[in-house]
Structure formats: structure tokens, C-alpha cells
Amino acid sequence: MDYKAIRKPEAQKMKVMPNLADYEQVSKNFRWEDIHKELDWLPGGFLNKAHECIDRHAKGSRRDKLALLWEGKSGDRETYTFGQLKDETNRFANVLKGMGVVKGDRVFFFMERVPELYIALFGALKVGAIVGPLFSAFGPDPVRDRLLDSGAKVLVTQPDLRRRIAQILPTLPQLKHIIVVNKGQRGPNPLSNGDLSYEALMSDASSSFDIAKTSMYDYSIMHYTSGTTGKPKGAVHRHMAVIQQYATGRWVLDLHEDDIYWCTADPGWVTGTSYGMLAPWSNGITQVIYEGGFRASAWYEMIQKYKVTVWYTAPTAIRMLMKAGDEVPKHYDLSSLRYINSVGEPLNPEAIVWGLPVFNQAIHDNWWQTETGAILIGNYPAMDVRPGSMGKPIPGIEAGILDDNYDQLPHGKEGHLAIRPGWPSMFHTYWGNQELYNSRFRKGWYITGDRARRDESGYFWFVGRTDDVINTAGHLVGPFEVESALIEHPAVAEAGVIGKPDPIAMEVVKAFVSLKDGHEPSEQLRNEIMRFARQKLAAAVAPREIEFVPSLPKTRSGKIMRRLLKARELGLPEGDTSTLEED
Ligand code: AMP
């Protein structure tokens, strides 16, 4: 299963000179303080994400530059310049201030990907509130859990979503205000008792506002993690995270002034804020937001229509594009694409190989988590891609592979992936659960909960979540390796692999497999896939059992929930399923 490295030309010979042209050189004497100087800061040394992402550009040469190109579900379009965003976010900041919202209050958002979400969220940052975006497909229970846990004072929502969660709203004593944005509705805002109309509030609000004096250490945003393994917890980030979001926007996404950037993640998940708001806008880049969901043809069309140059998406989406077939992309002009990144799950080598002729380039994998706030390990434009590898740590980051005593392992050995604390976008607590936060640190390392190995050239290779790793007859098997081998079979669309308890081997590898259109489950196909896997993997690692399933359980952010596959297999309680994507 050795995939050849995808070689890159020298940086100087590339059409667009990469921002990080010499990774080794930049990493060598790197100091975060040097990046501090590239931000604008507020007078007196204060720092606010909204200033760095919007006002800084609006007061300078980017005032009339497009910040947001929005396309709604039904095809309607809106555009906003940095100057317009400044005025609108100022208005919303005044709205909140008028309600008595002060620094540290929690303001939550339960909205579709509409421009008002972006405006309201940055407006709330301007008053110094801690913002919490929630995924719009949530049902009432996950919304209540998060609003209760965070003690949110204000909820900004839309009529249909408001109706969906109506029964939980009286059970939230700390929730003082509900603001309803009438987007997508005909006629006047259908307000319920006591609700406030966004449009009415905004029309009365002034477009001048002095941003709150937030320090770099003040809290700015909280995200409940997607919970592939346990109950969601609110990871809290500080304003200083923008330093790293800005830097990784340059180095990893390679954003340049004229780029048109599209991040497909929803702001209900950390990628949708760190890279769907903060990284592009702190770099002053124009970005596309598409309200609609996934459809292969619609996505290809977005790239063609808006001439997207830099694209940040996820392995599930790429596997779905693969599933839709090679014919669909032939109907679209994708030649604007200059650079493609992926995050959220391991990017199977097969997906990179598939993408090469379709996009005329490699897809670049990178690794990070809700807790890390920004990319920590990545592939870079000027560095060879080794398919299946997450790449190398960004400048300023020390990543280690540790044994079970949290001591460093040599190159080539598998162990706990750990990071030296102190990077700017590191989370600062789990809301209301400092003990759990403290438990993530050992012997001077942040323990990520992932297993990985580092090769002799310093590339990191993902093995699996610590909880997902399978121990079969003394061999530790990462589910990713087995899943990647399975999806190389032409009939396999997706695979999820678990360890099933076994009296002799402790665990055996069991695979759940969904098939591509045009293939039906059969005993013959099962045997063929088993044989195929045994040829690709060592016999001890290949699945002992394969079960065909119509689809795999995933989080709403697209991660395969192996924990759930296992619980269902063993007839155990399913635990927290608030982030499960329903079919
Ligand atoms: P979340 O906090 O929900 O964003 O999930 C973070 C987890 O997703 C990581 O700890 C990994 O288990 C997984 N993940 C994210 N990016 C990658 C990647 N590039 N390769 C492998 N796993 C990834």
C-alpha cells in the first residue's frame, strides 16, 4: 500500500509563490511574537477578533473589497464589502449593548449559513461577548444542553428554527433575549411573545461603535466538540487565537490577496469559524458562503460560478464526490482551483489519488481539533505530499509521539500524539469543567487523544483515536489503515472499522462497509472484499468480518462514529448521540 510521494517543484518555479516557501527556514528560528506584529491590535495593546477580521480592513485600502459572496439555498445572492460588514456588525454590537450585554456574557446562534449569522457573531465579539454558534440541524435536546451548560443570555435564531426548539425555551432561566432574523421568510417577522425582531432592532441602531477593550487573554468563542467519543464539552478559546488563525491562513491555506476562498464547513463546528470566518478575514480575503447542503453538482457549480481558487473541505465530502462518479466533474470548469485542503478525518490516500486528475492537483490534508483552535499539522504548497500523511507541524509547534508513560518514542513508533502547550489558539478551559481540562495535560504535553507515528523525515501519520485503536492478538491496529485499504476496492464507498471482543485474540477487526451505487451486497462480494483486504494488509490486520450497511453513522460534521458502530455491535448503550447525523 505504498503510495508514491507527490513531488512539488521548487517554490520559485511555482505560478504563485507560496507564502511558506521555505518551511525549514521559517520553522528554525520561529517566534510567535513576530506574527503579533502582522496584526493591527487596538490602541493600548488590546486585541479583538472582530477588529482584526473586519474593522482593520474597513479603515484601510480594503474598505470596498468584497469580504463575503453569499449564495442562499434557493439561489438568491448577496455581497458585502469589508466596509459594509463594519457598519452592520457595529449596528448589531449596539443592539446587544442596548440590551445590557457586557464582556463575558454568552451570546449563542442557532441559524442557517446566512449573512446575518456572520454579522451578528462579529457584532457580539465587538461587545466582548463569548459567542457560541450551534449547528442548525440540531433538535431541541442538544440545543437545550448547550444553552444550559453555557448559561447563554441571548439567542439569535430564525423563525423555523425557533419553532423547532419552542418547547425548550421556557426551561432556560438564564436566557433573557431571543432575537429572530426573518431571513428567507415572506412577510413580517413571525415573532412569538417576547421575541425581538432583528430587522427592527438593526434599523434603529447606529453604525458607529467602539469595540470593547478585550485583551488577548479574554474569552471570545466556545465550541462544543463533535463528540466522536463522548459527551460534547464546551472548549473555550481566547481572542489571541486569531494570531494563529491568521498565520495558518497564510502558511497552510496559502491565501493571497486576490484569492476567492471557499470553506465548506458550517460555523456550528470549529472549522466553520476558525477557517470559515477568522482565517480568511484576518487575511483580508474574499470568501464564498453557500447556504445549501451537499450535492456534487451544486458544489462543482459553486467552484465554477465563483471561480474559487482556494478550497477547504473534508474527507467525507471528497468521498461523496468520488461516489458521485468521475463523469459529473467533467461538466464543470474547475480550472480556477489553485489549492485544495482537507480536514476533519483521515484523508484516505485513495481520495488524493482520485483527486489528482479531477482537480489537476493533490488535496492537502491537515490536522487539528476543536481544542487546538487552529491547524497544528499540515501539508504545505511547497512541500511534497505523502498520501496518507497529515504533514508536518506548523512553525512554532512541537509535536511528539509518546508511550503510555508519556515519554517520547523514536521515529517510526506509534503512540499518543501530543503537543507542547503554549500555542496561541490553544483552548483555555472546558466550560465549567476545569478538571477535565487539566486531565488533558501530562508531563508538559497536551495529550490529543489521537494515535500517530512520525517518519524519519518528520511527516506525521494518523493511526486512530486512542479509543478506536484495536488490539488484535497483541497487534495494535489503527482503523484508518484498514478503512483506507477497503475503500480501494472498486465496489466500496465507505468503511468503518472496529475491534470486536474475541476470547482468543482479545479483539478481531470487524468492518462495516457501504457500497457504491450499482453494487449489491452478496456473499460473493463479501468474500471478494475480504480477499482483497488480506492482499493489501497483513492477515492479522485484515477484517475477520464484514457487514454491509446502507450508510455509516457519522457526526453532523462528517466524522465516522466508530464508538456507535461498536456500541450497536455489542448491544451497549449508545451514549450521547446529539451530534449524530440522521439519515
Ligand atoms: P473535532 O474536535 O471534532 O474537530 O475533532 C478532532 C479530531 O478529528 C482529531 O482529534 C482527529 O481524531 C480527527 N481529525 C481531524 N483532522 C484529521 C486529519 N487530518 N487526519 C486524521 N484525523 C483527523
Side-chain angles (χ1 to χ4, degrees):
M1 261 206 334
D2 257 354
Y3 285 84
K4 272 210 212 101
I6 299 165
R7 300 263 173 235
K8 299 285 186 66
E10 277 170 47
Q12 285 70 11
K13 293 191 184 138
M14 291 181 152
K15 256 199 262 160
V16 176
M17 176 80 159
N19 292 321
L20 190 65
D22 190 339
Y23 169 84
E24 304 296 339
Q25 185 58 34
V26 174
S27 301
K28 213 189 268 166
N29 299 316
F30 180 79
R31 294 167 351 124
W32 282 111
E33 293 72 35
D34 294 334
I35 303 288
H36 289 199
K37 291 182 203 137
E38 295 182 31
L39 297 184
D40 197 44
W41 299 79
L42 289 166
F46 294 102
L47 185 70
N48 188 291
K49 285 176 169 167
H51 174 77
E52 298 303 330
C53 291
I54 297 174
D55 290 23
R56 142 185 216 183
H57 310 302
K59 72 175 183 187
S61 58
R62 295 193 184 112
R63 181 173 175 81
D64 298 321
K65 179 175 175 176
L66 285 170
L68 177 56
L69 302 168
W70 179 76
E71 180 157 330
K73 278 183 204 161
S74 41
D76 29 348
R77 297 199 208 180
E78 288 178 20
T79 60
Y80 292 83
T81 62
F82 283 103
Q84 287 168 324
L85 278 187
K86 177 182 174 186
D87 290 351
E88 293 298 301
T89 52
N90 277 354
R91 280 200 181 90
F92 196 72
N94 278 316
V95 166
L96 291 178
K97 193 176 169 191
M99 290 174 173
V101 173
V102 294
K103 194 158 115 179
D105 282 345
R106 275 78 64 211
V107 175
F108 270 58
F109 305 85
F110 183 46
M111 298 177 73
E112 308 278 358
R113 279 186 301 277
V114 292
E116 289 78 358
L117 165 61
Y118 296 75
I119 290 165
L121 189 142
F122 277 95
L125 287 171
K126 286 185 168 181
V127 278
I130 305 171
V131 298
L134 298 174
F135 190 47
S136 58
F138 277 153
D141 288 353
V143 174
R144 188 200 46 229
D145 291 350
R146 287 156 175 78
L147 293 177
L148 253 186
D149 186 66
S150 63
K153 187 171 181 177
V154 179
L155 178 68
V156 189
T157 186
Q158 291 172 267
D160 291 347
L161 298 176
R162 160 89 176 72
R163 270 192 283 277
R164 195 193 299 158
I165 56 165
Q167 84 249 33
I168 61 141
L169 295 171
T171 67
L172 300 164
Q174 286 179 276
L175 187 64
K176 296 283 179 275
H177 306 284
I178 298 170
I179 301 176
V180 180
V181 180
N182 199 26
K183 192 76 171 185
Q185 305 269 324
R186 291 215 182 91
N189 202 331
L191 296 174
S192 305
N193 270 354
D195 287 0
L196 300 160
S197 155
Y198 174 88
E199 294 76 21
L201 292 166
M202 289 290 272
S203 70
D204 289 344
S206 151
S207 63
S208 306
F209 189 81
D210 281 334
I211 294 185
K213 290 190 168 52
T214 45
S215 92
M216 62 194 268
Y217 305 107
D218 281 326
Y219 292 164
S220 58
I221 188 164
M222 56 196 292
H223 273 288
Y224 284 83
T225 65
S226 58
T228 40
T229 52
K231 195 164 174 61
K233 38 207 183 284
V236 185
H237 290 279
R238 303 180 288 185
H239 278 279
M240 66 196 281
V242 73
I243 298 165
Q244 191 171 335
Q245 287 147 355
Y246 162 83
T248 47
R250 282 181 58 74
W251 297 330
V252 190
L253 305 179
D254 195 42
L255 296 172
H256 285 68
E257 188 66 49
D258 294 330
D259 275 323
I260 304 289
Y261 167 74
W262 183 29
C263 170
T264 57
D266 187 272
W269 313 111
V270 71
T271 308
T273 55
S274 292
Y275 293 96
M277 296 182 180
L278 299 153
W281 283 345
S282 59
N283 279 281
I285 301 298
T286 305
Q287 69 162 331
V288 174
I289 304 287
Y290 177 49
E291 190 195 8
F294 176 85
R295 206 159 36 88
S297 53
W299 276 32
Y300 288 130
E301 196 178 330
M302 285 295 291
I303 294 171
Q304 170 178 281
K305 194 189 297 178
Y306 291 96
K307 299 197 168 35
V308 172
T309 56
V310 178
W311 189 34
Y312 197 17
T313 189
T316 333
I318 296 164
R319 288 194 300 261
M320 288 199 287
L321 291 176
M322 286 168 75
K323 196 173 172 185
D326 294 355
E327 268 311 303
V328 192
K330 290 189 184 140
H331 300 291
Y332 298 90
D333 177 4
L334 307 176
S335 61
S336 58
L337 279 174
R338 174 174 75 73
Y339 196 54
I340 311 176
N341 296 273
S342 158
V343 74
E345 272 201 301
L347 180 63
N348 315 86
E350 179 68 13
I352 300 185
V353 171
W354 171 81
L356 277 173
V358 175
F359 302 117
N360 221 357
Q361 62 199 293
I363 302 168
H364 292 70
D365 188 19
N366 53 64
W367 177 94
W368 59 292
Q369 311 175 299
T370 306
E371 287 84 348
T372 71
I375 297 167
L376 295 190
I377 298 177
N379 286 283
Y380 309 92
M383 202 168 86
D384 294 348
V385 169
R386 299 189 177 183
S389 163
M390 321 189 275
K392 295 187 181 186
I394 62 164
I397 291 296
E398 184 191 349
I401 302 292
L402 312 184
D403 64 18
D404 289 341
N405 294 318
Y406 306 108
D407 294 319
Q408 285 217 58
L409 285 165
H411 290 178
K413 293 272 186 231
E414 253 174 52
H416 301 278
L417 174 63
I419 312 289
R420 282 276 185 231
W423 65 95
S425 63
M426 187 172 109
F427 71 137
H428 197 249
T429 193
Y430 287 119
W431 189 258
N433 200 343
Q434 188 65 21
E435 216 174 295
L436 179 64
Y437 175 83
N438 294 341
S439 73
R440 302 293 305 265
F441 297 86
R442 294 285 155 80
K443 290 195 178 168
W445 293 93
Y446 164 69
I447 311 299
T448 65
D450 286 348
R451 290 181 69 84
R453 71 187 159 77
R454 175 178 38 202
D455 67 21
E456 67 298 335
S457 326
Y459 282 80
F460 281 74
W461 300 74
F462 184 80
V463 174
R465 297 283 310 166
T466 306
D467 314 359
D468 289 340
V469 168
I470 302 157
N471 186 339
T472 179
H475 303 281
L476 285 187
V477 178
F480 171 53
E481 187 188 2
V482 183
E483 290 161 8
S484 286
L486 288 169
I487 74 163
E488 284 181 50
H489 187 281
V492 175
E494 288 200 290
V497 165
I498 62 160
K500 182 176 168 181
D502 180 86
I504 297 164
M506 187 155 145
E507 287 185 305
V508 290
V509 177
K510 168 156 187 183
F512 295 83
V513 162
S514 72
L515 297 175
K516 284 190 185 146
D517 293 346
H519 296 273
E520 291 302 322
S522 71
E523 216 32 56
Q524 194 193 344
L525 183 57
R526 188 194 322 273
N527 292 335
E528 192 189 308
I529 298 173
M530 292 262 213
R531 260 198 312 279
F532 177 84
R534 250 178 261 131
Q535 274 165 13
K536 299 240 149 227
L537 304 156
V541 177
R544 194 78 71 79
E545 261 183 61
I546 291 181
E547 182 175 332
F548 293 115
V549 286
S551 63
L552 294 169
K554 298 209 190 88
T555 64
R556 296 181 190 279
S557 58
K559 295 178 205 294
I560 296 171
M561 289 179 92
R562 298 179 190 84
R563 164 177 76 80
L564 209 58
L565 284 172
K566 191 157 180 170
R568 287 176 181 173
E569 173 70 25
L570 304 182
L572 297 173
E574 296 196 349
D576 180 79
T577 51
S578 63
T579 60
L580 176 68
E581 171 89 66
E582 315 288 350
D583 280 331

